[in-house]
Amino acid sequence: MTEDAVREAFRNQALFCERSGTPLTAAVVRGIEVALDRSTATGRRILDWPGDARGSGDSVPLRIAGGFHALARSGADEGLVRLYAGELENADAVVRAALQRFDGQLLGWLDSPPQTNETGRAGPIMAGLLVLASELGLPFELIELGASAGLNQNLDRFAYRLGETRAGDLLSPVELAPAWEGASPPEAQVRVLARRAVDQNPVPVADPAQRERLIAYCWADQIGRMQRLEAALALAAEHPPHVQQGDAADFTEAALAEPQAKGICRVLFHTIFWTYLPPEKQARIRAALETAGAKATSERPLAWLRYELNGAGGVAELHMRSWPGGTERHLATGHPHGSKVVWHA
């Protein structure tokens, strides 16, 4: 990308943060763009970014924003601590000074894309599972792609208010109540008998440093989101998720080829993951689903749930395809973090 295009990626990310009601994160991202020059190794690497720096590509603005959040949480820079406490007046100057002072530490945050584990996205997935549960009356085997730390492997242990519908464990410390428009999903019991997941780079939540890194990618001024993440991490300590390290296409092909128990609905799901997957791997996963779907029966049904960006300015859509039959349904549209859902079903 050209330098101008990289800068535009930061400006657009800041605008998205602002529209999402996160002025602090917007100020930090905007401050980084203003501070970028070639006097630091971090600045040079960003301005000469070889790939797609945008949020829909390599997510460079959110990579480096995570580094600033981590510095603030560590207390290493007094200016950043005040900035993250809400003193936004001198944000540009504070960010510039921190970039100069912590250049070496920040540089490493550019090595990999942000790994979030947004528990809010479990809301739309649970809504889809409620539809399946009401129609089939069967328990589930869940298979998650791009699971990160695996926090949403515990999605049936979260509490939900989805419109007028209550679901999950109503006493759970993790509560999801997205702003809801349209009808409510059906009342049903979601029973999970088996669960497994894969990620190219799983986050081991038993490691305190990795937990802290995960929190750093969460936008600091989304207080409810931060609280849910910390509650989900505590829940994961009680019910440790297992996320296999591997390739999503390889994992899908192997998982769907395994014999399916009678009387269980197998569900493959993922959230804000698909756009990061190369087209050839997308094609392999679709082919594996088609092959498995052709063998599905009413006693061994299969479903594909995905909450993914639709390419229209930061909007996500919940789609479900189910077999036998291969029926495709667009169930909902919402915010990528799952904080708002418009139900269509």
Side-chain angles (χ1 to χ4, degrees):
M1 299 184 75
T2 65
E3 180 176 324
D4 286 344
V6 170
R7 291 186 180 278
E8 184 180 9
F10 276 80
R11 290 192 293 269
N12 287 341
Q13 183 65 63
L15 183 61
F16 178 77
C17 292
E18 204 163 60
R19 289 173 175 171
S20 297
T22 56
L24 165 58
T25 305
V28 171
V29 173
R30 191 175 292 113
I32 295 170
E33 188 274 324
V34 171
L36 287 177
D37 59 30
R38 299 182 184 278
S39 67
T40 63
T42 302
R44 292 190 295 274
R45 187 172 175 189
I46 291 174
L47 293 174
D48 294 331
W49 196 258
D52 183 351
R54 295 175 298 176
S56 59
D58 297 332
S59 295
V60 174
L62 296 184
R63 293 188 190 206
I64 193 64
F68 276 87
H69 189 189
L71 282 173
R73 286 178 58 85
S74 73
D77 184 270
E78 186 177 340
L80 283 180
V81 171
R82 290 198 301 271
L83 173 60
Y84 276 81
E87 297 182 18
L88 306 185
E89 293 81 4
N90 299 312
D92 288 358
V94 170
V95 169
R96 181 181 294 278
L99 179 58
Q100 293 285 339
R101 181 182 175 190
F102 298 100
D103 183 25
Q105 288 176 244
L106 291 167
L107 184 64
W109 285 81
L110 297 172
D111 291 341
S112 58
Q115 262 191 292
T116 57
N117 201 161
E118 182 47 63
T119 52
R121 294 169 186 157
I125 296 300
M126 174 56 77
L129 292 176
L130 287 169
V131 172
L132 287 170
S134 69
E135 294 175 351
L136 302 175
L138 297 176
F140 296 104
E141 172 198 352
L142 299 183
I143 302 170
E144 184 182 8
L145 307 183
S148 188
L151 299 184
N152 287 342
Q153 287 288 287
N154 284 325
L155 63 80
D156 56 317
R157 298 183 174 106
F158 301 168
Y160 299 88
R161 187 172 75 247
L162 307 174
E164 298 300 318
T165 299
R166 304 295 187 271
D169 178 358
L170 300 184
L171 299 178
S172 175
V174 183
E175 298 179 275
L176 301 179
W180 197 271
E181 294 182 18
S184 302
E187 298 274 359
Q189 183 181 9
V190 172
R191 295 172 291 154
V192 179
L193 299 187
R195 62 195 89 208
R196 51 182 152 170
V198 69
D199 195 276
Q200 191 170 0
N201 296 293
V203 178
V205 291
D207 181 347
Q210 292 299 321
R211 288 199 302 272
E212 186 61 30
R213 187 176 182 89
L214 201 64
I215 292 171
Y217 284 125
C218 192
W219 298 356
D221 41 356
Q222 292 184 327
I223 305 302
R225 188 181 173 207
M226 290 282 289
Q227 290 173 341
R228 284 196 307 273
L229 175 56
E230 291 175 341
L233 286 167
L235 190 62
E238 296 178 31
H239 303 279
H242 175 70
V243 182
Q244 179 178 321
Q245 192 281 326
D247 175 80
D250 291 344
F251 181 84
T252 300
E253 290 167 346
L256 296 184
E258 291 183 9
Q260 182 175 342
K262 181 180 177 180
I264 296 179
C265 178
R266 177 175 281 175
V267 180
L268 182 85
F269 78 95
H270 47 83
T271 61
I272 316 300
F273 157 79
W274 196 249
T275 54
Y276 301 107
L277 207 59
E280 62 272 16
K281 294 189 185 295
Q282 294 180 359
R284 285 175 57 193
I285 291 171
R286 286 197 186 95
L289 282 160
E290 292 287 357
T291 299
K295 300 174 184 177
T297 67
S298 59
E299 294 180 329
R300 294 178 173 85
L302 172 68
W304 182 22
L305 271 175
R306 64 262 191 210
Y307 190 65
E308 295 291 345
L309 297 173
N310 66 2
V315 176
E317 294 181 351
L318 178 68
H319 288 264
M320 179 171 72
R321 191 171 182 197
S322 54
W323 294 267
T327 302
E328 175 78 23
R329 285 180 272 182
H330 177 192
L331 298 179
T333 302
H335 189 280
H337 295 159
S339 57
K340 179 179 180 180
V341 176
V342 179
W343 190 247
H344 303 310

